[in-house]
């Protein structure tokens, strides 16, 4: 069903075919959206371009490191020239120092804390600021990716859990700020999926095992299932939903002890 036909969606976070952002890209492409992708730096550009060959229509692609205001400005200038307006934006990016995704939380360094906040949480605000003028009068929608470690302690997730708490809070504050302009902002809290980022969390396989054993659906979610939920939130079908964190986690988050 082409429910995203005539909509332009900018997707941040495709690195390889395992990326959650790639699942979202495929879902949006199937729904008929016109797409723009970013890659973090020129080194990653070739891999993203190669992946994009599998899409029926070639997306707009350019480099953009979200920690650079200058690169964000240049990237969105390019989007403005190419499309003139934007109907949706996906924030599917995060980073942390590897040594802080494990060990004792009390040992978190300021540098590591600041880095994970800047890339994984603050960037949602700066991206929204740059996208805002292009979303004028479009009933636009912004979606970011969170995880259960935002609200409960997950072994090894440490500094990233704190960044995800900030991201979910940013989602609510941005939703309140931009709602009067018709811009919706929501988070998808995805269950664990084997991606390059996830493999950096110490003990990640046991997190997958725990979901498969305890979640109501008794299995882990797929990249495509997260992609479908994000596409729904970006579409007009979700036009009454904003400021929410929607779980796509096989129901794991409802289970107590
Ligand atoms: P991934 O490694 O495929 O994607 C992470 C992306 O972040 C990469 O494309 C990387 O280039 C990008 N990135 C990092 N720093 C950047 C910067 N400075 N500028 C621009 N881009 C930058 O891993 P993923 O698992 O697909 O992660 C996507 C999102 O989903 C993240 O927010 C992650 O926390 C979230 N998430 C992942 C899981 C999981 O289990 N995989 C579960 C819930 C939420």
């Amino acid at each position: 069903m082409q429910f995203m036909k005539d909509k332009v969606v900018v997707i941040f976070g495709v690195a390889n075919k395992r990326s959650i952002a790639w699942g979202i890209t495929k879902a949006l492409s199937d729904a008929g959206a016109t797409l723009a992708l970013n890659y973090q730096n020129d080194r990653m550009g070739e891999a993203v371009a190669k992946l994009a060959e599998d899409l029926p229509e070639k997306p707009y692609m350019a480099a953009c490191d979200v920690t650079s205001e200058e690169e964000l400005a240049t990237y969105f200038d390019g989007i403005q020239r190419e499309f003139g307006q934007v109907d949706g934006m996906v924030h599917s990016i995060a980073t942390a120092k590897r040594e802080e995704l494990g060990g004792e939380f009390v040992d978190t360094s300021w540098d590591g804390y600041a880095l994970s906040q800047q890339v994984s949480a603050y960037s949602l605000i700066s991206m929204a600021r740059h996208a805002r003028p292009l979303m004028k009068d479009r009933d636009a929608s912004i979606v970011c990716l969170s995880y259960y470690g935002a609200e409960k302690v997950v072994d090894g997730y440490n500094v990233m859990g704190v960044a995800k708490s900030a991201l979910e809070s940013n989602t609510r504050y941005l939703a309140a700020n931009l709602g009067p302009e018709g811009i919706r902002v929501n988070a998808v809290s995805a269950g664990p999926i084997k991606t390059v980022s996830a493999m950096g969390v110490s003990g990640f396989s046991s997190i997958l095992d725990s979901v498969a054993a305890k979640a109501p659906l008794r299995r882990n979610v797929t990249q495509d299932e997260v992609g479908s939920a994000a596409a729904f939130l970006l579409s007009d079908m979700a036009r009454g939903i904003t400021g929410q964190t929607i779980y796509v986690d096989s129901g794991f988050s409802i289970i107590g002890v």
Side-chain angles (χ1 to χ4, degrees), residues 26-56:
K26 286 187 293 176
L28 289 169
S29 169
D30 289 348
T34 299
L35 301 175
L37 305 178
N38 89 311
Y39 39 87
Q40 190 180 341
N41 50 45
D42 290 334
R43 191 174 47 81
M44 295 172 75
E46 206 176 308
V48 176
K50 183 104 193 71
L51 210 50
E53 285 173 10
D54 289 346
L55 298 173

Side-chain angles (χ1 to χ4, degrees), residues 47-118:
V48 176
K50 183 104 193 71
L51 210 50
E53 285 173 10
D54 289 346
L55 298 173
E57 277 182 40
K58 192 174 178 219
Y60 174 88
M61 283 173 283
C64 182
D65 185 316
V66 297
T67 60
S68 162
E69 272 297 313
E70 206 181 321
E71 288 192 26
L72 278 169
T74 306
Y75 182 80
F76 279 96
D77 280 352
I79 297 286
Q80 151 92 59
R81 278 196 301 279
E82 183 76 11
F83 303 109
Q85 98 283 317
V86 167
D87 301 283
M89 183 169 71
V90 175
H91 176 287
S92 186
I93 54 188
T95 207
K97 288 189 174 182
R98 182 137 194 161
E99 64 270 26
E100 291 184 348
L101 293 173
E104 294 203 56
F105 180 65
V106 74
D107 291 332
T108 303
S109 69
W110 166 242
D111 282 357
Y113 188 94
L115 173 76
S116 62
Q117 287 285 333
Q118 184 184 19

Side-chain angles (χ1 to χ4, degrees), residues 13-15 19-20 40 44 64-67 92-94 119 145-147 164 190-193 195 197-198 204:
V14 175
S19 296
I20 290 177
Q40 190 180 341
M44 295 172 75
C64 182
D65 185 316
V66 297
T67 60
S92 186
I93 54 188
V119 174
L145 271 297
S146 190
Y147 175 60
K164 291 300 189 196
I193 297 175
T195 63
S197 290
F204 181 72

Side-chain angles (χ1 to χ4, degrees), residues 31 65 78 84 97 102 117 152 163 174 191 205 225 244:
D65 185 316
K97 288 189 174 182
Q117 287 285 333
K152 293 280 189 286
L174 283 170
S205 328
E225 288 167 339
Q244 304 301 315

Side-chain angles (χ1 to χ4, degrees), residues 39-257:
Y39 39 87
Q40 190 180 341
N41 50 45
D42 290 334
R43 191 174 47 81
M44 295 172 75
E46 206 176 308
V48 176
K50 183 104 193 71
L51 210 50
E53 285 173 10
D54 289 346
L55 298 173
E57 277 182 40
K58 192 174 178 219
Y60 174 88
M61 283 173 283
C64 182
D65 185 316
V66 297
T67 60
S68 162
E69 272 297 313
E70 206 181 321
E71 288 192 26
L72 278 169
T74 306
Y75 182 80
F76 279 96
D77 280 352
I79 297 286
Q80 151 92 59
R81 278 196 301 279
E82 183 76 11
F83 303 109
Q85 98 283 317
V86 167
D87 301 283
M89 183 169 71
V90 175
H91 176 287
S92 186
I93 54 188
T95 207
K97 288 189 174 182
R98 182 137 194 161
E99 64 270 26
E100 291 184 348
L101 293 173
E104 294 203 56
F105 180 65
V106 74
D107 291 332
T108 303
S109 69
W110 166 242
D111 282 357
Y113 188 94
L115 173 76
S116 62
Q117 287 285 333
Q118 184 184 19
V119 174
S120 320
Y122 176 74
S123 59
L124 180 69
I125 305 172
S126 46
M127 283 165 52
R129 186 167 55 248
H130 285 277
R132 181 186 195 178
L134 302 176
M135 291 182 157
K136 198 169 176 325
D137 302 325
R138 300 300 302 176
D139 289 332
S141 170
I142 298 173
V143 170
C144 65
L145 271 297
S146 190
Y147 175 60
Y148 185 60
E151 53 172 304
K152 293 280 189 286
V153 173
V154 173
D155 212 21
Y157 205 57
N158 291 359
V159 72
M160 189 52 74
V162 181
K164 291 300 189 196
S165 301
L167 183 71
E168 291 184 9
S169 191
N170 288 345
T171 299
R172 290 185 285 274
Y173 276 88
L174 283 170
N177 185 177
L178 302 178
E181 297 168 29
I183 301 173
R184 298 182 291 108
V185 188
N186 291 289
V188 171
S189 183
I193 297 175
K194 214 168 172 179
T195 63
V196 170
S197 290
M199 294 309 282
V201 178
S202 91
F204 181 72
S205 328
S206 61
I207 296 176
L208 285 171
D209 292 346
S210 172
V211 172
K214 293 185 194 155
L217 297 181
R218 296 290 192 277
R219 62 170 178 83
N220 280 284
V221 294
T222 66
Q223 181 201 40
D224 290 345
E225 288 167 339
V226 178
S228 300
F232 159 71
L233 286 171
L234 289 159
S235 78
D236 292 340
M237 289 185 283
R239 62 193 174 278
I241 304 174
T242 194
Q244 304 301 315
T245 298
I246 308 285
Y247 294 84
V248 181
D249 66 346
S250 297
F252 182 78
S253 53
I254 67 162
I255 299 298
V257 285

